[in-house]
């Protein structure tokens, strides 16, 4: 008997959009104990697992099979694969390997009517109409609960070179990306602003990688499958210097140094936590980034000239993280209220550039009222109609997304 009890799915609770919050006494369903690997197919290189498997555990499981699960991000140690699927998680290797969506062979889901659906059944070719699997990927738990997934694994990457580069302005960052993307096999291209690096140095006591502070930094990861590729990588770096795109640069000489380079990027969020930052996870096309950031910074500086704004993000795929730091002496409540005043203008600029109000963290509760800045009224109506089919009683993660 369907009791029509409202349910909220809860994974690793690493989301930043309130997607797993229960505001109206809904029952929170934890997937922590649904954390088993169920089956491995050595012919197809797939693994079937439950939704509560931790992302890093999936990565490590793949290694035991001499394979590789490429979706990766800083929250790998606590996020769960079900949540990754529900938000179509991206991360740092999107340029080379794509999003979570690209690695899901099949899903088992439970809809709002209690129906259990096996979606796609791990077929590579399946031209039999709508692929319902992809409706659940990125659905934020609003259509039903993902209980199991079959994940496609791949061969491990070749040796990688990790570079830390500095640039004097944002156009140089974009030109550097353009150069390396055209001449090398880029796995990751991450931008760090000077303010972000300074907060990491202050928080971690890591050494300043260069003798000076530069306006922008890049953590660049490129493949080195052969001596020819290694030579090409070196030549491309030299060209970046000769063209004036890069002002300083280091190539990691050890695994530990490579890990340290990545810490300059991955430790940013933790180093900012004590400032209770107001965060926005947004995206535009890569070719629009320079103009886009200039317009946003003008608005923020106009409204809040004394506030610190920290930029970083996956510039190679157009995904930027905007962090406004709470000034000392201002309560969290007053700070959030002030930041919310400027949200409308920020999202208006995003709409102007045909960007997204949420690049990879989802809509959840916090961005629900701004969905129309990225989606048309017709799209939103269709999203609501799709939800009503899978969840006619409105009991699956109610109040989120639409």
């Amino acid at each position: 008997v369907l009791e029509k009890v409202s349910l909220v799915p809860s994974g690793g609770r690493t989301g930043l959009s309130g997607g797993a919050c229960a505001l109206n006494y809904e029952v929170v369903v934890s997937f922590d104990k649904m954390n088993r690997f169920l089956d491995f197919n050595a012919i197809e290189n797939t693994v079937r697992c439950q939704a509560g498997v931790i992302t890093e555990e999936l990565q490590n499981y793949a290694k035991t099979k001499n394979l590789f699960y490429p979706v990766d991000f800083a929250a790998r140690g606590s996020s769960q694969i079900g949540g990754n699927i529900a938000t179509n998680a991206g991360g740092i290797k999107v340029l080379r390997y794509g999003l979570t969506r690209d690695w899901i062979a099949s899903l088992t889901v439970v809809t709002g009517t209690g129906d259990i659906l096996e979606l796609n059944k791990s077929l590579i070719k399946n031209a039999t109409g709508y692929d319902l699997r992809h409706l659940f990927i990125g659905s934020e738990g609003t259509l039903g609960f993902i209980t199991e997934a079959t994940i496609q694994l791949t061969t491990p990457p070749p040796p990688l070179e990790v570079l830390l580069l500095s640039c004097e302005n944002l156009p140089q960052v974009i030109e550097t990306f353009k150069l390396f993307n055209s001449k090398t096999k880029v796995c990751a291209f991450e931008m760090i602003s000077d303010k972000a690096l300074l907060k990491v140095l202050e928080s971690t006591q890591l050494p300043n990688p260069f003798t000076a502070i530069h306006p922008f930094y890049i953590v660049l990861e490129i493949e080195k499958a052969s001596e020819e590729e290694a030579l090409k990588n070196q030549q491309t770096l030299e060209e970046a210097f000769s063209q004036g795109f890069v002002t300083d640069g280091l190539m990691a000489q050890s695994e530990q140094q490579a890990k340290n380079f990545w810490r300059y990027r991955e430790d940013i969020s933790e180093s900012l936590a004590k400032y209770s930052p107001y965060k926005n996870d947004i995206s535009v096309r890569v070719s629009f980034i320079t103009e886009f950031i200039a317009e946003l910074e003008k608005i923020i500086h106009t409204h809040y000239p004394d506030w610190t704004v920290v930029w970083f993000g996956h510039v190679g795929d157009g995904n930027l993280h905007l962090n406004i730091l709470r000034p000392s002496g201002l309560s969290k409540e007053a700070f959030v209220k002030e930041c919310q005043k400027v949200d409308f203008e920020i999202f208006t600029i995003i709409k102007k550039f045909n960007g997204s109000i949420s690049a990879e963290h989802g809509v959840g509760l916090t961005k629900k009222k701004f969905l129309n800045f990225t989606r048309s009224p017709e799209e939103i109506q269709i999203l609501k109609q799709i939800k009503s089919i899978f969840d006619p009683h409105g009991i699956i993660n109610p109040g989120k997304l639409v």
Side-chain angles (χ1 to χ4, degrees), residues 62-63 65-69 97 153-160 223:
K63 290 177 183 177
K65 305 297 183 182
N66 295 316
L67 294 167
F68 182 58
Y69 180 63
Y97 294 102
L153 306 178
T154 189
T155 54
L160 301 172
E223 291 188 1

Side-chain angles (χ1 to χ4, degrees), residues 8 27 41 84 98 100 102 111 118 148 156-157 177 197 228 230 232 241 246-247 253 278 287 325 329 351:
V8 173
V27 174
N41 188 310
N84 296 172
T100 297
D102 300 299
T111 71
E118 301 281 347
E148 294 178 11
F177 169 70
L197 181 72
E228 289 78 11
K232 188 67 173 176
F241 276 107
V246 171
T247 53
Q253 300 302 307
Y278 189 81
S287 55
L325 307 191
K351 185 174 183 178

Side-chain angles (χ1 to χ4, degrees), residues 249-284:
L250 296 168
M251 184 176 290
Q253 300 302 307
S254 66
E255 185 176 345
Q256 184 57 52
Q257 190 176 27
K259 288 180 179 178
N260 285 344
F261 286 179
W262 271 112
R263 284 193 66 188
Y264 293 124
R265 165 62 180 86
E266 294 199 329
D267 285 11
I268 295 174
S269 291
E270 186 174 343
S271 72
L272 298 181
K274 66 180 181 180
Y275 299 98
S276 306
Y278 189 81
K279 301 182 178 185
N280 261 308
D281 156 51
I282 52 187
S283 69
V284 294

Side-chain angles (χ1 to χ4, degrees), residues 4 16 30 44 102 104 113 120 196 239 248 253 307 329 371 380 382 386 389:
K4 300 181 183 179
L16 298 173
S30 171
E44 299 168 2
D102 300 299
I104 306 303
T113 57
N120 194 58
E239 185 176 346
D248 209 343
Q253 300 302 307
W307 289 12
L371 186 59
I380 293 173
I382 290 171
I386 290 171
I389 292 170

Side-chain angles (χ1 to χ4, degrees), residues 182-207:
S182 66
K183 297 194 173 184
T184 69
K185 294 180 180 177
V186 178
C187 290
F189 190 96
E190 300 287 308
M191 182 269 285
I192 306 167
S193 68
D194 53 353
K195 293 183 178 67
L197 181 72
L198 286 170
K199 296 301 181 186
V200 171
L201 298 182
E202 176 188 294
S203 173
T204 64
Q205 305 304 309
L206 284 168

